[in-house]
Amino acid sequence: MTQDSGISDVGAETVNEDVLVTGGAGFIGSHTLDYLVQKYPDCKFTCVDKLSYATNYLENNLRKVSGCDNFTFIKLDLAEEHQRLDELINHSANNFTTIINFAAESCVDKSFNDPLYFTKNNVLATQNLLECCRTLLNSKPNLRRNFKFIHISTDEVYGEQKEGEIIDEDGPLHPTNPYAASKAACDLIIEAYKHSYKIPITLIRSNNVYGPRQFPEKIIPACLKALQKASPTGIAEKERIPIHGNGRHTRRYLHVLDFAKAVDHIWNWLKNTSESSSDFLGETFNVGTDDEVDNLSMVKLICTIFMRKKFGVESLDASSFIRHTKDRNYNDFRYSIDFTKIKKVGWKQEISLEQGIEELVKAEIENEK
Ligand SMILES: NC(=O)c1ccc[n+]([C@@H]2O[C@H](COP(=O)([O-])OP(=O)(O)OC[C@H]3O[C@@H](n4cnc5c(N)ncnc54)[C@H](O)[C@@H]3O)[C@@H](O)[C@H]2O)c1
Ligand SMILES: O=c1ccn([C@@H]2O[C@H](COP(=O)(O)OP(=O)(O)O[C@H]3O[C@H](CO)[C@@H](O)[C@H](O)[C@H]3O)[C@@H](O)[C@H]2O)c(=O)[nH]1
């Protein structure tokens, strides 16, 4: 797998914040840390993560930031270690002013087999964190205006949208799988904490995110992993890329660096907004892209670029690369979120899907050498 984040020199900015990042050793969290730790050398970043199976794929995701003076890592399970979390947030030398909550079990396929674990881990982890924030803001009421909590939700909480349908941040929640339901439950519990305890919490609901260091249970890295065993004519039958059902379901894919920048934009917007209004309770932002593609076309695109770059093969018979497997218990047909609001705070997608995939494949092939 490719390991480079694609994040080159980020101009450093002077901002003083004490930031807690949960789930920062995972795929999206680690790229976001790569970006923010470098961009804000005067901010202090503490990452807590339980280090799940998805965390240390091939190499430590935190390799880049672990040598930085403004970065600390603590191994901690938010769902299991409420007391340690409370000590960190309420009884340590830290004075957290920003919390970014990435921590979650993130694999839809795994959630069908162990739904209760997803509820236990995702919901309890988030609520334990919220409880610690409730204590924090009770003991430091003046912090409220400067306190920024960003929770990473997902477009899956809305369920699927039909062709022609588009859903904005006020849309109803209709999750269809246990993972999405656990994420929707977090969103609803957050809503309760915002109103009951006046904790300002901002939600980000994003399309699929892809990029280097993603665990190969998700379709793009699964495809790259299978291609490691490809010859110029295809892949041995058992090792072929698994396509769930007929492969006609579509997804929209955003590069992880664009996602990290969206988090940064929202954080900066919050710095100005929360301080200017005493009754600010947070916002919800959809973060999306128009790069929509069905699973079969996505896999064909990756195979085509890979075979051209590695073997100089210009045309391929896709059936020698894929195998159809049983579909998910329920597979959302497509997601189509309206992301006008995030564009209004100055964010825009910079890396197209074609460009992102080209770079990913190139790095994958170079890595093999
Ligand atoms: N990958 C996507 O396409 C995508 C899209 C939209 C939203 N999201 C959301 O973004 C967040 C990050 O997803 P990802 O793709 O990086 O997943 P990931 O599985 O790579 O990372 C999740 C991280 O959270 C940690 N974690 C899980 N439970 C924890 C707990 N109880 N205590 C401490 N740490 C815990 C894991 O160890 C892991 O490092 C998740 O909340 C996910 O729901 C992901
Ligand atoms: O080996 C595989 C893996 C997936 N799929 C299909 O590919 C699509 C994408 O699946 P996957 O890559 O697992 O992503 P999603 O299930 O769409 O979920 C991702 O995107 C969501 C946002 O939409 C996030 O909330 C999740 O954490 C993240 O894993 C789905 O239709 C799957 O059925 C396959 O056909 N074969």
Side-chain angles (χ1 to χ4, degrees):
M1 280 296 296
T2 50
Q3 294 297 314
D4 185 56
S5 68
I7 296 171
S8 48
D9 272 353
V10 180
E13 283 184 22
T14 312
V15 182
N16 277 306
E17 291 263 357
D18 196 342
V19 188
L20 176 64
V21 177
T22 75
F27 163 54
I28 306 180
S30 65
H31 281 281
T32 306
L33 278 166
D34 282 350
Y35 186 72
L36 297 179
V37 169
Q38 191 180 342
K39 182 167 177 186
Y40 301 105
D42 296 323
C43 291
K44 197 160 78 64
F45 292 88
T46 303
C47 168
V48 297
D49 197 297
K50 71 174 182 180
L51 299 182
S52 75
Y53 71 95
T55 307
N56 278 314
Y57 183 60
L58 291 186
E59 218 180 299
N60 186 351
N61 288 351
L62 296 172
R63 182 176 47 93
K64 266 193 186 164
V65 286
S66 50
C68 298
D69 292 341
N70 60 334
F71 178 79
T72 308
F73 175 76
I74 299 169
K75 184 174 185 305
L76 190 154
D77 187 326
L78 299 172
E80 300 281 344
E81 298 174 277
H82 188 167
Q83 202 176 333
R84 271 188 74 210
L85 182 65
D86 184 57
E87 273 160 25
L88 176 73
I89 292 179
N90 290 303
H91 307 286
S92 72
N94 296 290
N95 287 301
F96 294 118
T97 49
T98 291
I99 295 182
I100 311 179
N101 185 29
F102 289 97
E105 288 293 338
S106 65
C107 181
V108 174
D109 287 314
K110 285 201 161 55
S111 80
F112 291 116
N113 296 329
D114 202 353
L116 193 54
Y117 180 69
F118 275 68
T119 302
K120 272 193 204 157
N121 189 78
N122 294 357
V123 180
L124 207 56
T126 295
Q127 195 163 4
N128 280 342
L129 186 60
L130 291 169
E131 277 295 282
C132 295
C133 293
R134 184 159 79 92
T135 307
L136 178 69
L137 293 183
N138 272 341
S139 65
K140 294 181 183 169
N142 292 338
L143 174 62
R144 195 176 305 271
R145 275 181 87 146
N146 187 31
F147 188 66
K148 294 159 284 289
F149 187 128
I150 300 174
H151 173 78
I152 311 301
S153 180
T154 169
D155 60 1
E156 295 212 9
V157 297
Y158 300 120
E160 63 196 346
Q161 287 77 52
K162 294 191 185 73
E163 207 59 57
E165 203 182 336
I166 184 158
I167 198 147
D168 70 14
E169 288 83 353
D170 296 324
L173 306 188
H174 282 306
T176 64
N177 63 66
Y179 156 76
S182 73
K183 296 294 289 186
C186 291
D187 290 12
L188 292 178
I189 291 170
I190 284 173
E191 208 51 35
Y193 275 68
K194 280 162 64 168
H195 289 89
S196 301
Y197 308 115
K198 308 288 174 248
I199 305 176
I201 305 169
T202 288
L203 304 184
I204 300 183
R205 294 180 179 147
S206 170
N207 283 148
N208 288 50
V209 180
Y210 74 99
R213 306 203 295 248
Q214 191 169 28
F215 196 74
E217 60 196 356
K218 315 284 163 64
I219 191 162
I220 294 177
C223 192
L224 292 170
K225 190 179 173 207
L227 280 164
Q228 285 172 357
K229 299 197 171 155
S231 76
T233 52
I235 305 174
E237 204 161 335
K238 275 190 182 158
E239 313 282 354
R240 287 182 188 164
I241 302 154
I243 301 276
H244 298 159
N246 63 13
R248 294 287 170 216
H249 304 83
T250 74
R251 292 294 185 268
R252 292 175 180 228
Y253 293 94
L254 188 66
H255 194 275
V256 68
L257 179 54
D258 276 328
F259 184 83
K261 288 181 179 174
V263 174
D264 186 33
H265 266 89
I266 290 169
W267 188 28
N268 281 314
W269 177 81
L270 284 172
K271 283 171 198 157
N272 300 322
T273 309
S274 56
E275 276 159 33
S276 66
S277 158
S278 57
D279 51 9
F280 178 72
L281 283 185
E283 286 282 347
T284 299
F285 288 94
N286 288 343
V287 174
T289 166
D290 294 320
D291 284 334
E292 182 171 358
V293 59
D294 67 77
N295 298 339
L296 214 44
S297 304
M298 179 80 228
V299 168
K300 281 183 192 165
L301 172 74
I302 297 173
C303 290
T304 305
I305 298 174
F306 187 96
M307 295 309 280
R308 190 180 64 229
K309 283 193 190 297
K310 184 158 181 191
F311 299 114
V313 172
E314 282 303 335
S315 72
L316 55 85
D317 172 13
S319 63
S320 318
F321 291 82
I322 62 170
R323 62 189 162 94
H324 285 276
T325 61
K326 191 177 157 290
D327 203 353
R328 288 179 172 172
N329 304 32
Y330 195 91
N331 200 341
D332 284 341
F333 196 70
R334 69 187 285 267
Y335 302 113
S336 172
I337 52 171
D338 181 335
F339 54 100
T340 314
K341 188 167 164 182
I342 174 82
K343 287 195 261 183
K344 285 187 184 152
V345 305
W347 175 85
K348 67 173 185 340
Q349 178 183 358
E350 291 172 16
I351 304 169
S352 70
L353 181 59
E354 288 259 351
Q355 186 192 349
I357 295 294
E358 280 269 351
E359 280 169 17
L360 207 53
V361 171
K362 189 165 159 253
E364 179 75 22
I365 293 171
E366 276 166 12
N367 229 38
E368 279 179 20
K369 287 179 189 161

